[in-house]
Every structure is written in C-alpha cells, then in structure tokens.
Amino acid sequence: MRKEDTLDQFSPEQFFGKALVVDCRDLKEGQAITIDKINIDKAKLADFLLFNLG
C-alpha cells in the first residue's frame, strides 16, 4: 500500500479473514496503543487486527 492509495482501490477479497478486535476504548486521546493491549496468542491466529477506539 502506497501513501496515496485508498481502501476503495483494493478488492473486497483482500479484507476477508479472521480478525481480532483489540479493545482500546479505555485509552485517552493521543495515548499510544502498546503491545500489552494485544493478546499475542489470539493475534497469531488472526489475519487482521481491528482496534476499537470507541
């Protein structure tokens, strides 16, 4: 993916797979998402990580 690419330029098939939703709703604005938020064992089984920011 290049900087000028947008999601609508990709085929939907590229976004099919298992996803892990990482709950980050407790973070304050501007606070970094760190590795301790991610369950590594579950992440290894996922094709995508989705970050729920609220």
Side-chain angles (χ1 to χ4, degrees):
M1 186 170 182
R2 296 180 318 259
K3 186 177 181 180
E4 62 274 4
D5 289 337
T6 58
L7 290 178
D8 62 326
Q9 294 173 309
F10 294 91
S11 67
E13 291 78 22
Q14 290 186 265
F15 301 99
F16 281 68
K18 294 180 183 179
L20 173 65
V21 178
V22 180
D23 187 2
C24 299
R25 293 175 294 172
D26 61 330
L27 297 177
K28 305 286 187 257
E29 185 175 335
Q31 189 175 356
I33 299 171
T34 59
I35 195 72
D36 64 305
K37 294 297 262 179
I38 301 169
N39 181 319
I40 299 300
D41 292 328
K42 289 184 179 181
K44 287 179 182 179
L45 301 174
D47 299 309
F48 302 97
L49 295 180
L50 302 176
F51 296 91
N52 181 355
L53 301 171

